Amino acid sequence: MMTPGLIESMQASLAASLPRWGLSSQSTLAFLSHSENTTFLAQDPAARQKLVLRVQRPGYHSPDEIASELAWIDAVIADNVVLTPRPVADRDGHLLCPIPLSGATRHVVAFEFLSGKEPDASDDLATWFGKLGATSARLHAHSRRWTLPSTFQRKVWDFDAMLGRRPLWGDWRAGLGLRDDGRRLLQRVADELERRVEAYGRGEQRFGLVHADLRLANLLVEGDRLGVIDFDDCGFSWFFYDFAAAVSFIEHEPVMDLLQRSWLAGYRTVAPVSRDDEAMLPAFVMLRRMLLTAWLASHSDTETARRLGTGYTDGTVALGDRFLRGS
């Protein structure tokens, strides 16, 4: 479990390593967040430089998988596909840096700092979702045409990886506070989702390399500019699953229909959307909701899990019931 004491210890050890990225002794290091990984903001007033340091969660991604993520980020930046922070190498040219932190060696990646803030309910979310739809379409087009490096390795986010036989984020049946009646209902939902994604298929126009986590927390807006961060969950999945990821934790809100229309309208300014693609969006949203229910249970040490608790699981059951009624 990531306790405040462990974060402080990690922070102190990481601060001592800041010269590795050319930061001066005047630099400060502040904790940002703990979710899948732990992030810190390093600031060097002398050089007027800011870096975001991401400490990788042990046992989640292999070094080759992290290097592959960084390769895609470099490619989308080089091709001017999306605004996103560039990975920063250390003084020896390494992007993935093993550093002793809190008694164990952890991999650390540095990124350029990108200004902006997460969109919130007071913003015009529909407008931002229009921009996000267009951004997603550009990322998907790049994914389809990009030649993967021979060493490229990322996880496959298919049904088995989410809710099936090899769940990467834990078993949804362990959802916080999930009761037997809810478990039985969600099993019916899972069975229906499996049927739908199998029928939809994994052809190359439907399934490929995606960001997989374009939720509000991973967007930075400033003026009319939209930036994207955190490719840590990128992998191979359905392209239109990216919409489901975008509405993470707000999939139950009344604004959902408007956000979907705006996202689709933005997407269609770049690429077509078939009737089959659009018809699958409710299934992908439900798939993502159940996946997040599993994630909260397996990441109970995060602030998100503590804040949402059993209420999120109850909401998943309610959404599952509505999904089945609409089947």
Side-chain angles (χ1 to χ4, degrees):
M1 175 177 288
M2 185 62 69
T3 63
L6 186 56
I7 289 175
E8 290 177 6
S9 174
M10 181 184 296
Q11 184 173 346
S13 299
L14 188 57
S17 300
L18 292 181
R20 182 169 185 158
W21 289 278
L23 300 178
S24 74
S25 59
Q26 300 178 43
S27 301
T28 60
L29 188 69
F31 170 72
L32 287 178
S33 67
H34 171 68
S35 182
E36 199 63 64
N37 306 302
T38 309
T39 58
F40 298 87
L41 175 63
Q43 300 187 69
D44 185 346
R48 296 184 179 179
Q49 183 179 12
K50 295 181 180 180
L51 293 178
V52 173
L53 302 181
R54 186 180 75 189
V55 182
Q56 300 289 147
R57 190 183 189 101
Y60 184 42
H61 291 310
S62 70
D64 285 343
E65 287 175 325
I66 301 169
S68 297
E69 171 209 353
L70 302 181
W72 193 31
I73 293 174
D74 279 340
V76 299
I77 292 174
D79 293 342
N80 198 29
V81 176
V82 64
L83 178 65
T84 192
R86 187 184 305 275
V88 177
D90 71 355
R91 62 193 174 199
D92 297 321
H94 299 138
L95 290 175
L96 185 59
C97 306
I99 295 179
L101 298 175
S102 305
T105 298
R106 303 281 292 272
H107 285 103
V108 178
V109 180
F111 294 91
E112 294 176 341
F113 174 79
L114 180 63
S115 62
K117 67 180 184 69
E118 172 187 342
D120 58 38
S122 63
D123 293 317
D124 182 2
L125 284 186
T127 297
W128 290 119
F129 264 72
K131 293 177 181 291
L132 181 57
T135 297
S136 299
R138 290 194 297 271
L139 280 170
H140 296 168
H142 183 271
S143 170
R144 291 185 179 102
R145 69 175 181 266
W146 186 47
T147 301
L148 299 179
S150 59
T151 56
F152 195 88
Q153 295 181 29
R154 291 300 297 179
K155 290 178 170 55
V156 177
W157 291 101
D158 57 10
F159 181 84
D160 276 345
M162 296 181 188
L163 307 183
R165 291 180 287 272
R166 50 180 181 84
L168 295 175
W169 281 355
D171 190 344
W172 62 265
R173 298 168 187 84
L176 300 174
L178 184 59
R179 299 180 295 274
D180 287 344
D181 56 344
R183 194 172 290 110
R184 287 191 296 270
L185 185 142
L186 290 182
Q187 183 62 63
R188 291 169 54 206
V189 173
D191 293 342
E192 175 63 16
L193 290 172
E194 184 174 21
R195 184 193 69 78
R196 291 197 191 187
V197 296
E198 286 183 355
Y200 182 66
R202 291 172 48 169
E204 62 181 13
Q205 291 303 307
R206 295 182 172 181
F207 196 97
L209 182 61
V210 299
H211 183 285
D213 199 20
L214 289 169
R215 58 195 173 96
L216 296 181
N218 290 331
L219 307 179
L220 289 175
V221 301
E222 189 172 78
D224 62 355
R225 184 214 73 190
L226 174 68
V228 170
I229 62 173
D230 197 2
F231 282 67
D232 183 60
D233 287 323
C234 74
F236 299 96
S237 192
W238 296 278
F239 289 113
F240 284 88
Y241 173 74
D242 263 344
F243 170 75
V247 296
S248 296
F249 304 115
I250 58 172
E251 59 280 283
H252 59 288
E253 298 288 352
V255 74
M256 266 289 296
D257 288 344
L258 175 60
L259 298 183
Q260 179 172 312
R261 290 195 301 272
S262 298
W263 189 92
L264 286 171
Y267 197 103
R268 286 184 167 116
T269 65
V270 177
V273 179
S274 73
R275 289 182 179 179
D276 288 344
D277 296 332
E278 186 170 350
M280 278 297 295
L281 293 182
F284 288 141
V285 169
M286 193 68 231
L287 187 67
R288 175 72 171 186
R289 176 78 186 211
M290 289 186 65
L291 177 63
L292 290 175
T293 302
W295 186 90
L296 291 174
S298 61
H299 293 68
S300 58
D301 61 327
T302 64
E303 189 278 331
T304 302
R306 290 190 292 269
R307 174 170 52 86
L308 296 178
T310 60
Y312 192 80
T313 304
D314 293 340
T316 302
V317 174
L319 285 176
D321 182 61
R322 187 189 312 170
F323 175 77
L324 290 175
R325 292 176 186 273
S327 299

